[in-house]
C-alpha cells in the first residue's frame, strides 16, 4: 500500500499532549531518582498522565480508543518488520499491545512508587507501613522492578517507531507531533464536545497537579516525628552530646552498643569512660532503643547486614556502606563534612531521630 495522498487528522491535541507528558515525566523521574522531591514530582505527574490516557482509551476519539486497536496479527506484523509491511491508520498490532503493557506498567510503577515512599521514607499516603517493614518487605524492590520493566518496553517501542520511520519511511513518528498522517482516504477525526471538554479538563488537571506538588501535599508529607532524647534520657543526652552530636540508638544493634559501652576508655581514640552505674543506665537505654526495637527498613537492614560481630562503627556496617557507595570520597573530605562519621552534614535532623536527607 502506498503512503496515501490525503493529510488526515488522526491524533487529537490532548492525545499528543498526554503522550509528551508521559515521555518527559517518566524520563526525568527515572533519571533523577536520587533527588527524591524531583523524582516524586515527575513520578506523580507521570501517574496522573497515565490515568488520563487510560480514561481516554475508553472515551476518546477514534484510533485512540482501546476498542479501535488492531490486536490481531501481531506476529505477522513483527515478521514483516524488514519487509513489505501493511500500514495502519492508527496504531499497528505491535504498538497496540505495547501501549496496553506500558499503561499497565505505568500504573504499577506509580502505585509502587507511593508504596516505596511510605515504606522507606516514612512519607506520603502509605507512611503507615514504615514501621511494619517485616510484613511488607516483599514490596521493597517492586517499584524498581516495574520501572525497569516499563523502561524496557518503552525502549522496544521506540525502536519499533524508529524502524517504522527510518526503514519503512512511514510518518507515524511525525504524526504524534503534528497529529496528521497521510492516508488513502479521509480518515480525519472530529472530537465531539464531550471529548473536547475532557481534553481541556485533563490538561488543566495536569497543570493543577504540577502546582499542587510544588507545595506541601499528602504525597510528599513526611510523617517522621522528632525525638527529644534529652527528655527520654537526660544522662544519655548529656554524656554523649557533650563530645559530639547525638547519634540515634537505632543506628546500631544491641550487641554493638554493649561492646562500645564496655570499652569507653578506647572510644574511637578518646577516653570517654564514665562510672559503672551511669554506664549501665545509658546502656540499658541504648539497648531499649537499638535497631532491634524498630521494624523499619533501615533498622532491619542494619541488623541483618551486620556481618562483623565486633563492629561498633555505624560507617562500617555493610548496609551503611551500600547506601553511601555512590558518594565520592572527596565529598566526605569537604570542610563541611570532614569525615564519614559526620552523618549530620547531610541528615540535618538526625539528632532528633529523623534520617531523611536535608533539602
Amino acid at each position: 500500500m502506498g503512503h496515501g495522498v490525503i493529510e488526515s487528522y488522526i491524533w487529537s491535541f490532548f492525545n499528543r499532549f498526554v503522550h509528551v507528558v508521559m515521555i518527559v515525566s517518566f524520563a526525568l523521574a527515572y533519571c533523577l531518582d536520587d533527588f527524591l522531591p524531583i523524582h516524586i514530582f515527575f513520578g506523580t505527574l507521570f501517574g496522573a498522565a497515565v490515568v488520563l490516557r487510560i480514561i481516554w482509551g475508553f472515551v476518546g476519539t477514534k484510533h485512540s480508543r482501546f476498542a479501535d486497536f488492531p490486536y490481531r496479527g501481531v506476529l505477522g506484523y513483527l515478521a514483516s518488520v524488514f519487509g513489505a509491511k501493511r500500514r495502519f491508520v492508527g496504531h499497528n498490532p505491535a504498538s497496540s499491545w505495547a501501549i496496553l503493557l506500558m499503561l499497565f506498567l505505568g500504573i504499577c510503577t506509580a502505585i509502587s512508587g507511593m508504596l516505596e515512599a511510605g515504606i522507606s521514607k516514612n512519607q506520603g499516603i502509605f507512611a503507615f507501613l514504615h514501621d511494619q517493614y517485616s510484613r511488607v518487605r516483599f514490596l521493597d524492590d517492586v517499584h524498581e522492578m516495574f520501572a525497569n520493566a516499563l523502561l524496557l518496553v518503552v525502549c522496544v517501542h521506540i525502536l519499533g517507531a524508529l524502524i517504522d520511520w527510518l526503514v519503512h519511511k512511514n510518518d507515524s513518528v511525525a504524526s504524534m507531533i503534528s497529529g496528521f498522517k497521510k492516508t488513502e482516504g479521509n480518515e480525519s477525526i472530529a472530537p465531539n464536545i464531550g471529548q473536547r471538554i475532557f481534553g481541556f479538563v485533563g490538561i488543566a488537571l495536569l497543570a493543577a497537579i504540577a502546582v499542587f506538588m510544588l507545595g506541601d501535599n499528602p504525597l510528599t508529607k513526611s510523617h517522621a516525628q522528632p525525638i527529644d532524647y534529652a527528655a527520654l534520657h537526660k544522662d544519655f543526652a548529656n554524656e554523649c552530646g557533650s563530645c559530639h552530636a547525638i547519634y540515634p540508638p537505632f543506628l546500631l544493634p544491641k550487641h554493638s552498643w554493649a561492646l562500645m559501652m564496655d570499652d569507653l576508655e578506647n572510644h574511637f581514640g578518646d577516653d570517654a569512660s564514665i562510672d559503672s552505674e551511669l554506664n549501665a543506665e545509658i546502656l540499658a537505654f541504648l539497648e531499649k532503643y537499638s535497631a532491634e526495637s524498630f521494624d523499619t527498613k533501615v533498622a532491619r537492614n542494619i541488623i541483618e547486614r551486620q556481618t562483623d560481630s565486633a563492629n561498633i562503627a555505624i560507617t562500617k556496617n555493610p548496609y551503611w556502606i551500600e547506601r553511601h557507595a555512590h558518594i565520592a570520597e572527596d565529598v566526605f573530605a569537604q570542610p563541611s563534612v570532614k569525615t564519614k562519621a559526620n552523618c549530620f552534614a547531610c541528615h540535618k535532623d538526625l539528632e532528633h531521630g529523623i534520617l531523611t536527607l536535608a533539602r
Side-chain angles (χ1 to χ4, degrees):
M1 179 183 292
H3 286 191
V5 293
I6 296 176
E7 288 277 343
S8 295
Y9 185 55
I10 303 300
W11 308 118
S12 68
F13 176 77
F14 176 73
N15 199 124
R16 289 175 283 136
F17 181 82
V18 170
H19 189 253
V20 170
V21 171
M22 287 193 295
I23 292 173
V24 174
S25 58
F26 175 69
L28 291 174
Y30 191 93
C31 294
L32 299 173
D33 63 324
D34 285 336
F35 303 92
L36 191 61
I38 299 176
H39 176 77
I40 293 178
F41 174 85
F42 286 109
T44 303
L45 204 59
F46 169 75
V50 169
V51 170
L52 287 173
R53 179 60 185 90
I54 291 174
I55 298 174
W56 188 250
F58 293 101
V59 304
T61 55
K62 182 177 173 59
H63 310 305
S64 296
R65 293 193 300 267
F66 300 136
D68 190 66
F69 286 11
Y71 299 108
R72 295 182 179 180
V74 64
L75 294 179
Y77 180 84
L78 292 175
S80 66
V81 167
F82 293 103
K85 189 169 67 171
R86 177 187 169 189
R87 296 186 78 246
F88 291 83
V89 175
H91 295 291
N92 59 58
S95 65
S96 296
W97 286 106
I99 289 169
L100 289 185
L101 185 55
M102 286 187 289
L103 292 176
F104 170 74
L105 290 173
I107 287 294
C108 292
T109 300
I111 294 175
S112 62
M114 291 188 288
L115 283 167
E116 178 69 14
I119 294 169
S120 299
K121 308 298 182 183
N122 198 13
Q123 66 183 71
I125 60 176
F126 293 109
F128 64 91
L129 297 174
H130 180 69
D131 296 321
Q132 304 177 44
Y133 184 68
S134 296
R135 295 175 55 190
V136 297
R137 68 183 308 160
F138 67 94
L139 295 171
D140 196 16
D141 298 319
V142 168
H143 180 55
E144 183 177 357
M145 179 190 72
F146 279 128
N148 287 333
L150 177 57
L151 179 64
L152 176 62
V153 177
V154 167
C155 289
V156 173
H157 182 59
I158 291 174
L159 178 62
L162 291 175
I163 292 174
D164 188 64
W165 174 35
L166 299 173
V167 176
H168 297 281
K169 308 300 180 183
N170 287 332
D171 55 356
S172 298
V173 174
S175 69
M176 288 307 300
I177 299 173
S178 68
F180 290 90
K181 244 185 181 182
K182 289 182 179 179
T183 57
E184 292 296 320
N186 187 3
E187 302 283 353
S188 291
I189 60 169
N192 59 41
I193 185 64
Q195 291 164 341
R196 291 177 184 272
I197 292 175
F198 180 87
F200 176 80
V201 172
I203 293 173
L205 180 62
L206 288 174
I209 290 174
V211 173
F212 175 73
M213 291 300 295
L214 292 175
D216 294 331
N217 61 82
L219 295 180
T220 59
K221 179 183 178 181
S222 174
H223 292 261
Q225 296 297 318
I227 299 172
D228 186 350
Y229 286 107
L232 284 177
H233 200 288
K234 182 178 65 175
D235 291 329
F236 161 72
N238 289 339
E239 292 297 332
C240 298
S242 64
C243 297
H244 53 70
I246 296 175
Y247 290 88
F250 68 78
L251 292 177
L252 283 175
K254 288 182 179 180
H255 180 68
S256 295
W257 285 124
L259 290 175
M260 185 184 299
M261 296 302 292
D262 191 48
D263 192 27
L264 284 181
E265 61 268 23
N266 297 300
H267 188 64
F268 301 102
D270 294 319
D271 184 357
S273 55
I274 54 178
D275 68 75
S276 58
E277 184 178 348
L278 183 57
N279 186 305
E281 290 179 2
I282 293 177
L283 175 59
F285 171 78
L286 291 170
E287 290 181 332
K288 180 180 179 180
Y289 292 95
S290 66
E292 284 89 345
S293 301
F294 296 88
D295 192 11
T296 63
K297 179 178 180 177
V298 171
R300 291 292 97 194
N301 278 286
I302 285 174
I303 296 169
E304 294 168 8
R305 307 285 183 88
Q306 182 80 297
T307 54
D308 182 3
S309 60
N311 176 49
I312 62 171
I314 296 168
T315 57
K316 291 184 179 180
N317 181 279
Y319 183 62
W320 187 99
I321 294 172
E322 175 191 312
R323 295 299 299 166
H324 297 79
H326 66 287
I327 302 176
E329 290 293 327
D330 58 354
V331 173
F332 294 109
Q334 292 178 4
S336 60
V337 183
K338 295 182 180 180
T339 172
K340 291 182 179 179
N342 184 15
C343 306
F344 310 92
C346 296
H347 304 279
K348 300 296 185 182
D349 295 320
L350 183 59
E351 203 165 7
H352 300 290
I354 299 176
L355 195 56
T356 53
L357 288 170
R359 295 190 179 187

